[in-house]
Amino acid sequence: RRCQVPSMECLRVCAPPGPSFAVPTTRRAPTRAVKSRAMPSVSASGAEASTTPTKKRKMLALHGRGGNAAGFARYMAPLVEATAETWEWEFVEGPHSTGGDGRAWWNLPPGVRTFEASELDGIQDSFKLLDTCYPFDGLVGFSQGAMLAAVACGRGIKGGHRPSVAIIVGAAWPTAHGDDVRKLMRVELAAAEADGEMRNAVPEALAEVVPPSDPLVRSLHVVGKQDTTNPPAQAMKVAEAFSCAELLEHPGGHVVPMDEKAMRAYLKAMR
């Protein structure tokens, strides 16, 4: 059911997965975006699966600081393949260089972390980039990309649109844009109130069998217990800003877990 108050009681905790693996740092020439499409599925008899056209939803993937679209696409390939029948993926390149093939969504002074910064220089360029990528149905972000996803869910994209699904991995609280993130809860509460008014307008017997609305943004927050880059308390603060957030804790550090339990959590979020 839709949660009515921003409380930790809204968080539903998934079982912790097994060991995870760090995002690779392999460099390659930067590209603005990488689109991934898996081969069509084949039945056990070898015949091609049904060709009945089904409109796929679009997932935008945002790499971490120092990564790039191509490297993130290679790393996330198992999830891309597992969701190929229902989702089309686009891996977007951050607009700012960190040196070599590394990219970022905003710039920071030396030694300053995002949760410490009073300004995120260049984030407006990233907002414009997300606007050009719209429409899309979901956001997956890691580290700095996860923080950008959280801010985008709050402030809205291209006139106030929001993705229906967000997977936030290894985030910290983006202090300089904390009000943008908090805006999501205000919007969720307004939507919940409107939903309640609609249900009150129908006969009581009918209202009882009509399921409540899902949150505007169904979110999964992935937190590494040993994350020293963006400590777990920072990630939890981001999760608290989402209505009825799902929480997946894993025993690793600042990584995107891709083990079996994590994959099940991703697939559930993308249902």
Side-chain angles (χ1 to χ4, degrees):
R1 296 179 65 87
R2 183 190 297 278
C3 296
Q4 299 295 317
V5 294
S7 166
M8 280 302 293
E9 294 178 357
C10 290
L11 296 178
R12 295 186 284 265
V13 182
C14 301
S20 50
F21 305 93
V23 175
T25 57
T26 303
R27 300 297 191 188
R28 134 170 224 190
T31 56
R32 182 175 175 277
V34 177
K35 293 186 177 180
S36 297
R37 295 182 178 86
M39 295 296 291
S41 58
V42 178
S43 68
S45 63
E48 187 174 331
S50 173
T51 57
T52 303
T54 302
K55 181 175 174 57
K56 294 184 179 182
R57 288 175 288 173
K58 181 179 177 181
M59 180 65 74
L60 218 63
L62 311 176
H63 60 77
R65 176 179 173 83
N68 56 51
F72 200 35
R74 289 192 298 272
Y75 185 81
M76 298 296 288
L79 185 56
V80 172
E81 182 177 358
T83 59
E85 293 186 0
T86 53
W87 289 86
E88 176 184 332
W89 289 66
E90 183 171 352
F91 290 80
V92 185
E93 194 100 301
H96 305 288
S97 174
T98 60
D101 292 340
R103 311 296 295 180
W105 302 103
W106 53 81
N107 299 307
L108 293 167
V112 176
R113 307 289 292 279
T114 294
F115 55 85
E116 301 168 330
S118 59
E119 180 182 5
L120 302 182
D121 179 45
I123 194 174
Q124 296 297 330
D125 296 326
S126 296
F127 292 155
K128 292 176 183 177
L129 183 55
L130 292 184
D131 285 348
T132 63
C133 292
Y134 190 81
F136 51 85
D137 306 283
L139 281 172
V140 170
F142 171 61
S143 193
Q144 197 179 83
M147 291 179 262
L148 177 60
V151 172
C153 287
R155 76 188 297 273
I157 302 152
K158 202 170 187 177
H161 299 283
R162 290 175 174 80
S164 59
V165 177
I167 299 178
I168 311 291
V169 186
W173 183 253
T175 302
H177 285 265
D179 286 344
D180 283 336
V181 182
R182 293 188 188 96
K183 181 180 178 181
L184 176 61
M185 185 60 73
R186 297 195 296 272
V187 174
E188 292 278 12
L189 291 173
E193 183 177 347
D195 179 59
E197 291 175 355
M198 291 178 61
R199 294 170 67 82
N200 290 335
V202 301
E204 182 176 352
L206 180 59
E208 290 178 356
V209 299
V210 177
S213 302
D214 285 335
L216 297 177
V217 180
R218 186 171 64 251
S219 64
L220 172 67
H221 299 260
V222 184
V223 182
K225 292 183 177 181
Q226 303 301 318
D227 192 337
T228 57
T229 300
N230 290 331
Q234 290 287 325
M236 295 295 288
K237 187 174 181 178
V238 175
E240 290 174 14
F242 284 71
S243 178
C244 292
E246 296 279 351
L247 179 65
L248 172 65
E249 293 181 292
H250 65 89
H254 196 58
V255 297
V256 181
M258 294 294 286
D259 57 278
E260 183 178 350
K261 290 182 179 179
M263 288 287 287
R264 285 202 301 266
Y266 301 147
L267 294 175
K268 179 183 177 184
M270 296 172 65
R271 63 190 184 278

